[in-house]
Amino acid sequence: MSTHSAQTQLKLIGKLILTADLHCETGLHIGAGKGSLEIGGADNPVVKDAFGLPYIPGSSLRGKIRSLLENSLGLTSPAELVYLSKRRGQEVRIHQSDRPDDEICLLFGRNPGRMERVEGEAIESKSASPARLTVYDAPLDQDSITAQMRENLDDEITEVKSENAIDRITSQANPRTLERVPAGARFRIRAVLDILCEEDKSLPARVLEGLRLLEDDALGGGGSRGSGRVRFSNLKIAWRNRTFFSAGGEETELASGADLAAVHAAANAPDFAEKLA
C-alpha cells in the first residue's frame, strides 16, 4: 500500500531500468487495423514497423499491465471506473480516483479536470499526477524466428490462424483469419520507472506483480481462444540515481539473469528500498 499523501513533494531521486525477454508461448496477435482487405490476406493483420517486422507497442503492454493491476486491486467496480469514451459501442472505462495514495494513478498518471464515473458522482480532480512508468515499443529478435520455423510459416515471420464462428440455429460457418506472431518468437522489453519521492520506492514491486499476472493471462487479441500466452526471462533491473545523470555516476545493477519470480521476491524484500538512493 502506498504512503503518498497530499503533502508529498516530488523530486527525481532516480530511474529504475527494467529489461527482459518476452517469449511467445502461443501465437501473439496485436492488431494493426486495416481500412481495406487484400486478396489472400488475413482479415486481422498484426502491427508491424516500417521494415515489415512485427513488434509489441509499448501502449499495448502498458495498458494490459494496468488492466490486470486494476482487477487485482479490486478497482474495477462501477464506482471506481470513469469513462474515457461514451461513444455507443466503443465505450472505454478505466480506473481513476483523486486519492493521493492511489498506486494505479501514480504509476500510469492522472489528469486534472472533470471525469464522469460509471456509477456515482463525477470526479472533479484539481491536481495532476505524473506517470512514473514508461514502457517502450518492443522489437522482435529476428534470430528467434528460426529457419525451420520460416519453412512452415505463411509469411516467413508470421502465421495465419483460421477460425470459424458457428451460428447456433443454422449451423452456418463464418470463417475468419487471424495473423499471429508464432510461438517461439522473442521480443526485447524495456521499461523505465521514475522514482520521484521516497514513497515511490514501493512501486517497483507493483510493476513486477503486473508482469507476473500477465504470465497467467494473455497479451493482445484472441486470448480466450488460445493466443497471447507469454513468458518473461533474462530480466535485468538497474538503478540510475541523479548523480548518474548530473555527473556521470555509475549505474547499479540490482538483479540480472534471474527469472521473474526471483526478481519480484527481491523487490519485495525489506532492504530493496535502501538500494534506491
Side-chain angles (χ1 to χ4, degrees), residues 129-182:
S129 296
R132 271 66 161 179
L133 181 64
T134 300
V135 181
Y136 295 93
D137 292 348
L140 173 71
D141 182 350
Q142 296 186 59
D143 291 338
S144 67
I145 309 295
T146 65
Q148 181 180 5
M149 292 169 65
R150 291 176 188 271
E151 291 179 0
N152 297 296
L153 293 174
D154 300 277
D155 190 27
E156 289 195 1
I157 294 179
T158 61
E159 63 185 8
V160 175
K161 180 188 179 188
S162 298
E163 300 178 336
N164 266 321
I166 307 298
D167 186 277
R168 283 3 181 215
I169 304 299
T170 66
S171 297
Q172 179 179 345
N174 295 287
R176 58 178 180 259
T177 55
L178 191 73
E179 186 180 23
R180 305 195 306 179
V181 179

Side-chain angles (χ1 to χ4, degrees), residues 40 66 76 83 89 113 132 157 195 202 205 213 222 229 236 246 260 275:
R66 175 174 184 155
T76 55
Y83 283 106
R132 271 66 161 179
I157 294 179
I195 304 299
S202 64
L213 288 167
R229 184 183 174 193
K236 176 183 175 183
S246 63
L260 181 53
K275 301 175 183 178

